[in-house]
Amino acid sequence: MTQQEKPYDQYCNLHRQFIDEYKVISSHVAELYQLPKKFIEENASAMDRYMAESSMPGSPADSDGSVRSVREFIYRIEDFKLEIMGLFFEHRALIEKCSVYMKKVQSLRFSKFNADTEQKFVELVPELTSLRFGMKCIEEKAAGMASRLETVEGSWNKINERMAA
């Protein structure tokens, strides 16, 4: 028969998992932040050139499907940028909540440790669980955004190849 873990020990395990998840997820979000920026920097001049060509007087923008597809692609990229910025704002709000939680933990760690302090740590479990759930949601959204960016990049490569031909 296995001995059931004490509530304080359960809290400690959850807290360690939280710290590990926080580091990994924050790292993934930071990496994700760089990807669209890099993509846009690498392709901005070509996109600008296509847009400039399509806005010249007498340009075939209305009749040329490839120029229209570039314009539509650029609008999609702009929408993607707005969505990813929403994810970053959501992540930042979660980081603020994590900071509030960590201040509580630090305060308890600096107090005299006794059964009352142990109980106060255990009382943080619902907040800790909520933060971990929020991080998982951010992680899933970030993975979805990274996948969408790969699709966007693939679409751009196809459009760019057609325009060059």
Side-chain angles (χ1 to χ4, degrees):
M1 181 180 270
T2 60
Q3 183 178 359
Q4 187 172 356
E5 200 173 32
K6 289 180 17 180
Y8 176 73
D9 293 333
Q10 290 175 338
Y11 163 79
C12 290
N13 287 332
L14 287 173
H15 181 78
R16 277 190 293 278
Q17 291 170 355
F18 163 77
I19 296 297
D20 292 341
E21 291 165 353
Y22 179 88
K23 289 176 186 176
V24 169
I25 292 168
S26 291
S27 174
H28 286 160
V29 171
E31 290 170 13
L32 177 63
Y33 181 74
Q34 296 301 316
L35 294 176
K37 181 181 175 198
K38 181 181 174 192
F39 171 75
I40 290 169
E41 286 173 354
E42 289 173 355
N43 297 290
S45 62
M47 288 180 198
D48 289 344
R49 186 178 73 245
Y50 293 134
M51 290 304 287
E53 289 172 4
S54 71
S55 63
M56 292 174 135
S59 70
D62 293 330
S63 60
D64 187 347
S66 58
V67 173
R68 237 188 341 256
S69 64
V70 170
R71 185 179 297 147
E72 289 171 10
F73 174 81
I74 291 172
Y75 293 147
R76 282 190 8 232
I77 260 293
E78 290 298 320
D79 289 343
F80 179 79
K81 283 181 2 185
L82 291 174
E83 289 176 28
I84 209 161
M85 288 305 297
L87 174 68
F88 296 135
F89 289 134
E90 196 176 325
H91 182 247
R92 185 172 65 189
L94 183 63
I95 287 173
E96 290 173 15
K97 290 178 183 177
C98 290
S99 295
V100 168
Y101 163 77
M102 288 304 293
K103 286 178 185 173
K104 292 176 187 176
V105 170
Q106 285 301 99
S107 175
L108 288 172
R109 284 189 177 156
F110 287 125
S111 65
K112 183 179 177 188
F113 192 82
N114 56 34
D116 186 47
T117 311
E118 194 173 285
Q119 180 57 36
K120 287 180 182 177
F121 276 113
V122 171
E123 290 170 3
L124 290 174
V125 168
E127 183 177 359
L128 181 56
T129 302
S130 175
L131 292 172
R132 290 184 67 211
F133 177 76
M135 286 192 303
K136 288 292 183 190
C137 291
I138 295 286
E139 182 179 39
E140 288 174 9
K141 288 179 183 180
M145 290 284 185
S147 177
R148 278 191 57 211
L149 182 59
E150 288 177 11
T151 302
V152 165
E153 289 175 337
S155 297
W156 173 249
N157 291 336
K158 289 176 186 175
I159 289 170
N160 208 14
E161 289 171 5
R162 278 187 297 189
M163 294 297 286

